[in-house]
Amino acid sequence: MTFENLDLIAPLLKALKEEGYENPTPIQEKSIPHILANRDIFGAAQTGTGKTAAFALPILQLLSAQVQQGNRNIRSLILAPTRELAIQIGESIQAYGKHTGLRHTVIFGGVPQRSQVEAIRRGVDILVATPGRLIDLHNQRLLKLDRVQIFVLDEADRMLDMGFIHDVRRIIPLIPIQRQTLLFSATLPSEIKELMGKILKNPIHIEVTPVASTAERVGQSMYFVTRDQKRNLLHHVLTEQDINSVLVFTRTKHGADKVARELTKRGIPAEAIHGNKSQNSRQRTLGDFKSKKLRVLIATDIASRGIDVDQLSHVINFDLPDTPETYIHRIGRTGRAGAEGLALSFCSEDDVDMLKDIQRHLKSTIPVFKDHPFHITPPNSSPPAPPKTGGNRGSFGRGRQGGGGGNSPRSKPQGQNRPASQSRDTKRPSGQSFRD
Ligand code: AMP
């Protein structure tokens, strides 16, 4: 199943491509056709299943189909229990809807209302809101909900847990009875069942079991290293670890060539594929990689798009990518079809900000693997590393420091990077954290 099969319009397909989404998730596959057919939906789905896109994409499509004259009205209202979720939904709508010309804004409490009110006054098609602030602004007559056509109640059970269900009940009469309603809830307490009976008309029930996210399926580890030592570290890792098929990502084509040349020179045959290579040469290289004749393939993000290899055991981020989404996309190339995959990332001083972004996005910390000769301590690690007895910590700017700590450079990494489902160790990295 592809997004094209779901009959999504070109501006959405373009945005999805830019996001690196290749195929719809089960909830997207099941919900989108019904929502596009104007049906009410009850979705039993948790965050992490792709449920935001499952409702955001068809809403954007339905609203795009209407020609708007004069001022914009709020035609879709999305209620979320927390400001974090509301912001996340807003970000998704921004990403998926960027080529549609539709406008949205996000409102939530705990911050001054002025900029939120201004955004609404300028005109929005989609409003994402937490219940309290929505009622507040409505009471002040700063927004109107009488043109809402599509109403989404996201994480209804959390609304209940957080005591917002009364607010929700007060909001329902403010929106037209003639509307489409989409309700999502991971669990189904009796109050939610009752609410569903009142606000949904002949709904389609859609249930999906939570799938392990890419980040959970793929074991990840972070190697701190200076930029200059990355090539040595790569050689070390490829020599020391049991890696039978690896895709190495570099930021630039030039970098890809350089890495491939140097590895080959040092006895590890490697090839680079990128846009500057001829189609023939790329096909040949890919063929060799797929048939396992070639063990190490170096690629840039763009060149890697067409690479669909099963049983790729490892991905190495020689350079961290520019966006967290690209990171997820890259590491998702391993661990496919339930296979266990490992993703190793090299983080130098230039990559530290990106690492923070990635970890914020993952909502977890990537375990740091220190047992290699090029390990250094990066700046701004927060919270500070606990006291250590061993001594293999270098520092950026001071060049390479020994791989001490009593670790032989030839020692095999142990349990460093199994997927979270395999090893509890990976939950707590050995010392450093980059979350802020
Ligand atoms: P959600 O359940 O909506 O919070 O989505 C969980 C994560 O999955 C988000 O980071 C989305 O960007 C991502 N995502 C949603 N749909 C897809 C898809 N079809 N392909 C790849 N990633 C997706």
Side-chain angles (χ1 to χ4, degrees):
M1 171 70 80
T2 62
F3 285 108
E4 280 87 354
N5 298 146
L6 292 171
D7 284 335
L8 292 179
I9 53 176
L12 296 178
L13 292 175
K14 185 170 177 209
L16 289 170
K17 206 165 182 181
E18 286 162 5
E19 286 299 296
Y21 293 8
E22 284 172 350
N23 300 103
T25 64
I27 184 128
Q28 292 160 8
E29 214 175 297
K30 290 179 189 172
S31 314
I32 291 174
H34 293 301
I35 303 177
L36 286 177
N38 303 108
R39 293 294 303 264
D40 280 9
I41 294 278
F42 165 65
Q46 295 177 348
T47 295
T49 54
K51 77 172 154 61
T52 313
F55 65 76
L57 290 167
I59 289 176
L60 288 161
Q61 180 145 332
L62 290 169
L63 298 187
S64 298
Q66 302 170 354
V67 184
Q68 281 299 96
Q69 275 158 4
N71 290 341
R72 281 170 201 257
N73 297 303
I74 299 168
R75 289 180 290 153
S76 181
L77 171 66
I78 300 169
L79 274 190
T82 62
R83 86 189 241 171
E84 287 75 22
L85 183 62
I87 291 169
Q88 254 178 49
I89 295 171
E91 284 170 357
S92 298
I93 290 174
Q94 171 63 35
Y96 309 144
K98 67 176 168 213
H99 303 301
T100 61
L102 292 169
R103 293 224 297 254
H104 77 282
T105 197
V106 182
I107 63 171
F108 45 81
V111 293
Q113 66 178 45
R114 213 175 107 194
S115 65
Q116 299 179 355
V117 172
E118 272 163 18
I120 292 169
R121 203 167 276 148
R122 280 196 296 274
V124 294
D125 304 283
I126 302 172
L127 180 65
V128 187
T130 53
R133 176 57 58 100
L134 182 75
I135 291 178
D136 242 23
L137 297 191
H138 191 272
N139 286 346
Q140 297 175 56
R141 295 179 197 283
L142 293 171
L143 58 84
K144 281 186 172 171
L145 298 172
D146 57 349
R147 300 293 179 88
V148 169
Q149 303 165 15
I150 311 172
F151 172 52
V152 181
L153 188 54
D154 199 10
E155 303 207 345
D157 50 353
R158 250 170 102 198
M159 294 269 190
L160 182 71
D161 285 348
M162 297 177 70
F164 296 151
I165 204 77
H166 304 295
D167 285 346
V168 173
R169 289 203 186 100
R170 284 170 63 198
I171 290 165
I172 309 287
L174 308 178
I175 54 179
I177 295 174
Q178 269 313 326
R179 60 161 197 266
Q180 185 178 5
T181 307
L182 317 173
L183 186 147
F184 293 87
S185 190
T187 58
L188 207 53
S190 56
E191 287 96 328
I192 299 297
K193 262 195 203 141
E194 190 199 318
L195 185 70
M196 276 169 59
K198 288 193 179 134
I199 68 173
L200 295 176
K201 283 189 215 95
N202 194 16
I204 306 271
H205 285 239
I206 291 166
E207 190 162 350
V208 293
T209 42
V211 283
S213 66
T214 303
E216 283 166 356
R217 260 186 307 117
V218 177
Q220 302 167 70
S221 48
M222 192 59 61
Y223 287 61
F224 290 124
V225 57
T226 59
R227 189 178 348 140
D228 293 349
Q229 293 289 0
K230 279 189 175 181
R231 290 202 295 279
N232 286 334
L233 174 60
L234 180 62
H235 182 265
H236 172 81
V237 165
L238 292 174
T239 316
E240 295 297 315
Q241 295 193 24
D242 191 14
I243 294 179
N244 44 42
S245 183
V246 60
L247 186 55
V248 179
F249 286 97
T250 59
R251 191 168 292 145
T252 63
K253 300 175 201 172
H254 177 68
D257 276 337
K258 216 160 140 187
V259 172
R261 254 197 328 266
E262 186 164 328
L263 281 178
T264 307
K265 214 163 77 194
R266 293 174 71 179
I268 299 178
E271 296 266 359
I273 57 160
H274 52 66
N276 287 2
K277 302 250 169 176
S278 74
Q279 183 67 16
N280 274 351
S281 136
R282 284 163 58 165
Q283 299 281 230
R284 198 177 44 243
T285 307
L286 262 180
D288 287 350
F289 188 59
K290 284 184 183 179
S291 67
K292 303 273 187 287
K293 228 157 81 187
L294 178 70
R295 179 180 159 228
V296 185
L297 182 64
I298 324 280
T300 55
D301 287 302
I302 298 190
S304 81
R305 295 247 150 126
I307 304 175
D308 185 11
V309 186
D310 286 334
Q311 287 153 6
L312 182 62
S313 68
H314 289 68
V315 161
I316 296 181
N317 291 310
F318 186 87
D319 298 308
L320 288 188
D322 293 336
T323 68
E325 287 77 12
T326 309
Y327 175 83
I328 306 241
H329 194 237
R330 282 185 184 180
I331 70 169
R333 300 206 154 261
T334 179
R336 288 203 165 171
E340 184 183 305
L342 298 176
L344 281 48
S345 301
F346 296 176
C347 179
S348 71
E349 57 275 52
D350 317 331
D351 300 312
V352 168
D353 286 341
M354 197 58 234
L355 173 59
K356 286 186 189 173
D357 262 12
I358 291 169
Q359 297 192 143
R360 216 175 287 132
H361 192 83
L362 293 174
K363 299 193 185 70
S364 68
T365 312
I366 301 168
V368 177
F369 183 70
K370 298 180 182 176
D371 190 4
H372 64 87
F374 309 101
H375 177 70
I376 49 164
T377 303
N380 312 325
S381 44
S382 153
K388 273 191 56 151
T389 45
N392 64 342
R393 322 183 71 198
S395 163
F396 280 126
R398 281 194 280 133
R400 177 188 161 182
Q401 303 239 332
N407 299 318
S408 147
R410 292 203 64 80
S411 62
K412 293 266 181 208
Q414 288 177 352
Q416 51 144 333
N417 45 18
R418 304 253 72 90
S421 56
Q422 320 280 308
S423 158
R424 278 181 292 128
D425 295 345
T426 54
K427 292 266 181 210
R428 270 283 101 209
S430 50
Q432 283 127 339
S433 162
F434 267 76
R435 304 195 67 189
D436 45 19

